[in-house]
Amino acid sequence: MSDNKIVFCDTGFVIRLLDRTSELHENALGYFRYFLENDYLIRMSTIAVAEFCVKDKIENLPLQQILLSPFNAHHASKTGECARILYNAKAKGVIEVDARILIQNDVKLLVQAECESADFYLTSDSRSKRMYDVLKEEGKLSFDFTDIHMPFSAKFGVIDF
């Protein structure tokens, strides 16, 4: 177990961080600064990099501050276990998602964040919270799901100067 404090960010967070025209840019920037100033390692999956590169270039990622995490076989195995839980939750009507969504990148990223001992998961995707909630209740996830629609100052009770 690592002593490092880890933040795992998804594609949507990074897009908002870099897009100054986004309504969530200031929130993303606030979280980014907060975690850097408080000595967190900020990690991003290679899966999220692939998503980012659909519309932008890897050179535009702030890789001086974000460490890339390759998705590996251990992550894949754990993702399968979690997808099974989500399929069962869907069959019972606990969550409502498209079949395609269950093993999409969101689930892979959530599981990878857990496997890498993340303390926080930064996202702008409020919809993925329902999958997080099911997996958290099943004891598969332990990190804090952090939706950047809430400013970091409200989340952490700090004054933003």
Side-chain angles (χ1 to χ4, degrees), residues 71 74-92 94-112 114-115 130-132 134-136 138-141:
F71 187 80
H74 176 68
H75 302 142
S77 174
K78 294 292 183 186
T79 297
E81 292 174 26
C82 289
R84 185 177 322 111
I85 291 167
L86 294 171
Y87 278 120
N88 291 336
K90 180 183 184 234
K92 293 175 185 173
V94 175
I95 58 173
E96 186 178 313
V97 292
D98 296 334
R100 180 193 73 78
I101 289 179
L102 285 180
I103 197 136
Q104 73 170 20
N105 290 343
D106 291 345
V107 179
K108 295 173 191 170
L109 295 174
L110 289 168
V111 172
Q112 187 175 1
E114 182 65 26
C115 288
R130 60 189 172 198
M131 290 184 278
Y132 167 85
V134 168
L135 295 173
K136 175 100 172 168
E138 290 289 325
K140 296 294 184 183
L141 303 177

Side-chain angles (χ1 to χ4, degrees), residues 10-22 25 28 44 48 51-53 55-56 61 124 148:
D10 80 351
T11 315
F13 168 78
V14 175
I15 289 170
R16 276 45 174 210
L17 177 66
L18 299 177
D19 180 2
R20 293 180 182 189
T21 65
S22 169
H25 173 71
M44 181 178 182
E51 289 181 332
F52 179 83
C53 289
K55 298 209 173 188
D56 208 333
L61 289 171
S124 65
I148 65 168

Side-chain angles (χ1 to χ4, degrees), residues 6-8 112-121 142-144:
I6 297 170
V7 174
F8 211 83
Q112 187 175 1
E114 182 65 26
C115 288
E116 297 196 13
S117 303
D119 297 288
F120 292 92
Y121 181 83
S142 60
F143 53 82
D144 182 284

